[in-house]
Amino acid sequence: MSSTNTPQQAPATPQAATDPQTHAQPGPRALSPARTLATAARVLRQLTHDPRTVALLLLIPVVMITLLRYVFDGSPRTFDAIGASLLGIFPLITMFLVTSIATLRERTSGTLERLLAMPLGKGDLIAGYALAFGAVAILQSLLATALSVWVLGLDVVGSPWLLLLVALLDALLGTALGLFVSAFAASEFQAVQFMPAVIFPQLLLCGLFIARDRMAPVLEAISNVLPMSYAVDGMNEVLHHTDVTGNFVRDVLIVAGCAFLVLTLGAATLRRRTA
């Protein structure tokens, strides 16, 4: 009687169990307050060991506002007209630069990859960065607003606290934009190159140099979808009205909504490391 040797069949296993790359991919994690706070604390500790970055974040807006005040020393009304707007623009620019470079540095150094291999989701990381730089933005906005109103004599009809609110939201928007564009840069130099593409068009079309309703229709339509336009409009509402107006509430909500939207996009596009 002849016998046949039946080859031993390997047990069927899912491909994910034998594919290390597939197995290594963590599933989506819910946003955790504990992990977010731990991330924010780590970022703040790193900032304290980098005095030049702290000086850039806190002192550059103050220096620029002071310089602007004495450039228009012979024309105080000019400083009043554009000082409030720049009070929101300067924090946005500095937070954009520092956040984009800091996030990119963590990715290129491999720190981000190691962090995401731990029980830390992209949402935790982005929220932690936003919280840490948001705390810095509060200090930055407090210094710039206090200096402008109580030292440099910026004439504001409304409450200075409303100026502070808009300046803080602008700084948070700059943080969100910096986190978002860092996903598309391969080096710190490229991160800086995004500034002309992301910030300068908003700066030119936000109504700082000419009222938006006096622009060409196409440019006015573009300015209507740029968040910096509403930041400047919000500052101007505080500058000319004693009470909180409906337009001010609209402007604040739009800036805050844009910051949240960009943070969400930043979490979705965040990469572990630069290819």
Side-chain angles (χ1 to χ4, degrees):
M1 185 171 59
S2 63
S3 63
T4 58
N5 294 329
T6 303
Q8 184 177 1
Q9 295 182 354
T13 57
Q15 185 179 0
T18 59
D19 189 349
Q21 292 183 351
T22 305
H23 181 71
Q25 293 292 337
R29 303 184 182 99
L31 191 65
S32 167
R35 293 194 293 261
T36 298
L37 289 174
T39 302
R42 180 184 62 82
V43 174
L44 289 175
R45 283 195 302 269
Q46 290 179 338
L47 283 177
T48 58
H49 296 296
D50 190 354
R52 288 176 296 181
T53 299
V54 174
L56 174 66
L57 287 170
L58 298 182
L59 298 182
I60 291 300
V62 169
V63 172
M64 296 300 292
I65 289 289
T66 303
L67 179 62
L68 182 71
R69 167 65 181 83
Y70 288 104
V71 165
F72 296 109
D73 190 40
S75 180
R77 291 186 177 180
T78 304
F79 176 70
D80 292 337
I82 67 174
S85 299
L86 292 178
L87 189 60
I89 292 174
F90 286 155
L92 189 154
I93 294 174
T94 56
M95 296 303 291
F96 173 85
L97 283 174
V98 172
T99 306
S100 59
I101 292 175
T103 308
L104 180 65
R105 186 176 299 170
E106 291 220 327
R107 195 171 75 243
T108 55
S109 65
T111 302
L112 184 60
E113 186 177 11
R114 293 191 296 270
L115 288 172
L116 291 179
M118 302 168 61
L120 181 71
K122 292 182 179 181
D124 298 317
L125 188 73
I126 292 293
Y129 265 92
L131 187 61
F133 283 107
V136 177
I138 292 175
L139 293 177
Q140 182 189 72
S141 302
L142 275 172
L143 287 174
T145 303
L147 176 78
S148 300
V149 175
W150 291 296
V151 177
L152 300 179
L154 180 65
D155 188 11
V156 180
V157 175
S159 171
W161 294 106
L162 296 179
L163 278 184
L164 175 62
L165 173 62
V166 181
L168 176 59
L169 290 175
D170 290 345
L172 291 176
L173 177 61
T175 299
L177 290 171
L179 289 170
F180 177 64
V181 303
S182 67
F184 304 99
S187 66
E188 295 180 13
F189 179 68
Q190 286 187 7
V192 175
Q193 286 181 313
F194 272 105
M195 183 174 170
V198 176
I199 300 297
F200 285 0
Q202 297 192 66
L203 186 63
L204 294 174
L205 299 177
C206 68
L208 178 64
F209 302 104
I210 185 173
R212 293 195 292 125
D213 56 5
R214 295 174 57 190
M215 296 179 182
V218 173
L219 296 180
E220 183 182 0
I222 296 174
S223 72
N224 288 335
V225 299
L226 299 177
M228 191 183 291
S229 300
Y230 297 95
V232 171
D233 287 349
M235 287 293 191
N236 288 331
E237 287 293 313
V238 180
L239 195 65
H240 298 107
H241 298 87
T242 56
D243 299 324
V244 176
T245 64
N247 287 336
F248 176 81
V249 175
R250 178 206 63 187
D251 297 334
V252 166
L253 290 178
I254 289 177
V255 175
C258 288
F260 179 77
L261 176 61
V262 175
L263 282 176
T264 304
L265 293 175
T269 57
L270 183 66
R271 292 179 294 165
R272 288 171 173 248
R273 59 182 173 181
T274 302

